Amino acid sequence: MKKFVVPMAFFAVIFLCHQVFAQQQKAQNPVIFADVPDMSMVRVGDAYYMSSTTMHMSPGVPIMKSKDLINWKIVSYAYDTLENVDALNLTNGKNAYGHGTWASSIRYHKGTFYVSTFAQTTGKTYIYTTKDIEKGLWKVSAFRPGLHDHSLFFDDNGKVYMVYGGGKIRLVELKSDLSGVNTDVPERIIIENASLPSGENIGLPAEGSQLFKVKGKYYLFNITWPKGGMRTVVVHRADKITGPYDGKTSLQDLGVAQGGLIDKPNGEWFAYLFRDFGAVGRIPYLVPVKWQDGWPVLGTNGKVPETLDLPMSKGLMPGIVASDDFNRKNGEPDLPLVWQWNHQPDAGLWSVKKRAGYLRLTTGKIDSNFLQARNTLTQRTIGPFSSGTTAVDVAMMKDGDLAGLGILQKNYGLVGVSVEGNSRYMVIIDAGTGKPIEKERVQLEQDKIYFKIDCDFSQKRDLASFFYSLDGKVWKTIGNPMKMAYTIPHFMGYRFALFNYARKQTGGYADFDYFHISDKKSPSN
C-alpha cells in the first residue's frame, strides 16, 4: 500500500490547488475596497450605472459604469459646481465637511438618465438629467425642501414620486416636469415605523430608502441600526405604492447594509450594499438574491459570501483611482475623472497648462490650517494597501507657504515643505489625535523633493506611514506611523491630497510633477 501514498498526496495537492485557483477566478467581497457609499444602481441593456456620495467634493455625485457588476469605471459626475456659497467654496472660514450632497438615486426612464440627490448645505433637492450619461451635459432642476435619503421612482401610470425620511417613511408626488413637489397631492406617511422589523431597540431609525417594482409589487429597502447590534437591511413590500406595507429583516451580517436590488440580463439578482470599514471608508459589497414567496432573500444562508459567481476584479486602477503624470494632449480634459477637489476650487489658481507636465497650485488666500486650504486635489485611498507618491518643485513658494502630499480627513496627516523666511524644511504634521502636531522637520537645500504616504487598511489597521526622498529612489521615513480614524464630522474615507496653502502671503506656487498610486506595500516597509 505504501506505493500509493505519494500519488494520493500528490493528487490531494493538485485538487486543493485547483480549488484555490477556482476560487481566485471568482469575484471577491468587497467588490470595491474604497470609499463608495450610498450606492444607487440601474441596468440599461447589458451595462450597469452606479451613483454614489462624495458630499463636499467637487465635481460631485460620481457616476460609474460596469459591464459585469465587479469592474467599475468613473464615467461622469452629475455636477461640477453645486452652488456658489461660502461653505462649498471654503471661503470666509466656512466649510461643508460631512454635508454637501448625500445619498443619490439613479434612474433610467424613456431614454433619459435621472440622478437625484439632496444637500443639507443648501436645503434643496436636485434632479439632474441627461440623454448621454457618459458624454452628455447634465441639466438640473432644484427645489425645496431637501428630501432626506430619497428614492426617485417612475411608476407605470406615468406618475413620478419620491420616497424619503427616517423612521417614518413618506411619499410625495412630483410635478410632471420634475420641477418640484406636486402640492395638489398631499404628502403621505406610507410606513409609520420602518425600523420595527429589526426590533424595538432602535439606534438609527430606518433611512436610505430605495424603491423598486418587481412583478407588480413594490419593494422598499432601508437601513436601520438596532442598539447593541449592527447595520441591518429591512425590506417592506406592498401591492400599491401607497401601501399597506409588510416588513422583514432581510440581512444582518457584518454590518453590510443600505442599498437595493439589481438584476442581470440572465435573470440573476443581487443586492448592492456597503459596509463601514474603518478609515478607508464605506466599501461596496454584493450579495446574491433569491426570490421566495414573493420576497427577496439576501445572502447565502443569511450570510454575506466571500466569493461571488461573477468575473474576478481586474483591480481599482485606473477605473476608480489612477496615476497621473499631468501630461495633456490637445483635446484632453485638464483632469481625469478620478480626481476631485476638496470643496469647489478657484479655477484661476490651478493649472496643468502653465508648465507642461506639471500641476501648478497657486495660493490665493491666507489659511490657518490644511482643512481650510482651497484647491486641494484628491483621490481615494484604496484597501487593503495603497501608496501615493509625488514630486514637487518648491522653487517659487513664498514665506509661510506649505505644500506637499497629505491624507485628508478630519484627523489628517501630511508631509510637505514649509517655507520659513529664506529656509525650507520638510515637515510631517500629524493630526491623528484631532489636533495637528508637527512631529519632525528636516532642512531642505534643493528645489525638487519627493514624498510618499503608505496606507495599511488590512484588518482595519488604519496606519499611515510617511516618507521623503531627495532623488526619488532612496526613501527615508519621517515621523512615526499615524493611526487614521474615520470621523463623523467628515463622514468620508481618507483621500490622498496634493496641496499648497499660504499662511502669510499669497501668490506663491508649487509645481507637482506627478502623482503615482499603487496597491502594493512599499518595499521600504
Side-chain angles (χ1 to χ4, degrees), residues 63-105:
I63 312 299
M64 305 178 188
K65 180 183 180 181
S66 176
K67 285 285 192 173
D68 57 15
L69 287 173
I70 297 299
N71 295 285
W72 293 89
K73 179 182 180 181
I74 302 172
V75 295
S76 182
Y77 289 91
Y79 65 82
D80 287 324
T81 300
L82 183 62
E83 290 197 25
N84 189 27
V85 297
D86 285 342
L88 294 169
N89 291 335
L90 278 180
T91 50
N92 293 321
K94 295 184 178 180
N95 64 66
Y97 286 115
H99 293 277
T101 53
W102 276 17
S104 58
S105 179

Side-chain angles (χ1 to χ4, degrees), residues 357-403:
Y358 286 80
L359 166 71
R360 176 166 295 177
L361 297 180
T362 303
T363 63
K365 66 186 181 78
I366 306 299
D367 290 306
S368 59
N369 65 77
F370 171 61
L371 296 180
Q372 283 299 125
R374 202 172 180 187
N375 285 21
T376 295
L377 189 60
T378 79
Q379 285 196 39
R380 293 169 178 83
T381 57
I382 61 176
F385 300 99
S386 50
S387 180
T389 309
T390 192
V392 56
D393 185 333
V394 301
M396 300 306 293
M397 291 172 63
K398 291 187 175 183
D399 181 25
D401 289 358
L402 180 58

Side-chain angles (χ1 to χ4, degrees), residues 30 33 275 277-280 283 382-386 454-464 483-484 519 521:
F33 207 144
R275 179 187 183 188
F277 203 82
V280 75
I283 58 180
I382 61 176
F385 300 99
S386 50
D454 285 357
C455 297
D456 182 356
F457 300 108
S458 60
Q459 287 81 51
K460 296 186 181 179
R461 287 192 179 93
D462 293 347
L463 290 175
K483 182 69 173 178
M484 294 179 282
D519 59 1
K521 200 170 183 178

Side-chain angles (χ1 to χ4, degrees), residues 7 21 38 62 64 79 86 88 134 161 173 180 202 223 250 317 376 383 398 401 437-438 458 461 467 499:
F21 179 77
D38 304 336
M64 305 178 188
Y79 65 82
D86 285 342
L88 294 169
E134 296 183 45
Y161 299 92
E173 184 178 326
I202 297 302
I223 181 176
S250 293
M317 300 177 287
T376 295
K398 291 187 175 183
D401 289 358
I437 300 172
E438 183 182 303
S458 60
R461 287 192 179 93
F467 305 86
F499 68 91

Side-chain angles (χ1 to χ4, degrees), residues 210-396:
Q210 296 202 31
L211 183 65
F212 307 88
K213 193 173 187 179
V214 181
K215 294 183 178 179
K217 291 187 181 292
Y218 298 86
Y219 296 89
L220 180 65
F221 275 61
N222 289 104
I223 181 176
T224 187
W225 195 342
K227 288 182 180 178
M230 66 180 71
R231 291 185 182 269
T232 300
V233 180
V234 170
V235 177
H236 284 81
R237 183 184 73 175
D239 293 322
K240 297 180 179 179
I241 195 169
T242 53
Y245 282 85
D246 295 322
K248 286 186 177 182
T249 293
S250 293
L251 184 69
Q252 199 170 54
D253 185 41
L254 301 178
V256 174
Q258 188 162 337
L261 290 170
I262 192 72
D263 67 332
K264 294 178 62 180
N266 65 3
E268 287 183 87
W269 289 82
F270 290 87
Y272 53 87
L273 308 161
F274 71 74
R275 179 187 183 188
D276 292 85
F277 203 82
V280 75
R282 296 176 285 171
I283 58 180
Y285 279 67
L286 285 176
V287 300
V289 172
K290 302 295 183 185
W291 291 88
Q292 184 176 334
D293 298 327
W295 287 93
V297 179
L298 277 60
T300 304
N301 297 320
K303 299 295 182 182
V304 176
E306 292 183 3
T307 61
L308 300 159
D309 289 325
L310 292 168
M312 66 185 299
S313 173
K314 298 175 184 177
L316 304 186
M317 300 177 287
I320 304 299
V321 298
S323 296
D324 192 348
D325 290 329
F326 301 118
N327 292 310
R328 302 290 181 261
K329 297 178 182 178
N330 289 336
E332 287 185 334
D334 284 352
L335 291 175
L337 294 172
V338 292
W339 290 111
Q340 284 178 288
W341 297 98
N342 179 23
H343 291 65
Q344 293 169 171
D346 183 333
L349 296 176
W350 69 272
S351 175
V352 291
K353 296 176 180 176
K354 289 185 176 178
R355 182 180 178 185
Y358 286 80
L359 166 71
R360 176 166 295 177
L361 297 180
T362 303
T363 63
K365 66 186 181 78
I366 306 299
D367 290 306
S368 59
N369 65 77
F370 171 61
L371 296 180
Q372 283 299 125
R374 202 172 180 187
N375 285 21
T376 295
L377 189 60
T378 79
Q379 285 196 39
R380 293 169 178 83
T381 57
I382 61 176
F385 300 99
S386 50
S387 180
T389 309
T390 192
V392 56
D393 185 333
V394 301
M396 300 306 293

Side-chain angles (χ1 to χ4, degrees), residues 109-172:
H109 183 66
K110 294 184 178 181
T112 298
F113 288 92
Y114 298 79
V115 174
S116 60
T117 186
F118 71 104
Q120 308 92 325
T121 311
T122 63
K124 296 180 183 179
T125 296
Y126 298 82
I127 300 178
Y128 299 90
T129 60
T130 184
K131 294 286 187 180
D132 186 342
I133 197 168
E134 296 183 45
K135 298 179 181 178
L137 295 175
W138 292 85
K139 297 179 181 178
V140 62
S141 174
F143 57 86
R144 296 183 186 275
L147 301 180
H148 177 84
D149 277 14
H150 65 251
S151 180
L152 180 63
F153 188 80
F154 294 86
D155 211 346
D156 299 333
N157 60 6
K159 294 183 178 180
V160 188
Y161 299 92
M162 279 188 173
V163 178
Y164 78 100
K168 282 181 171 63
I169 304 301
R170 304 169 186 270
L171 176 73
V172 295

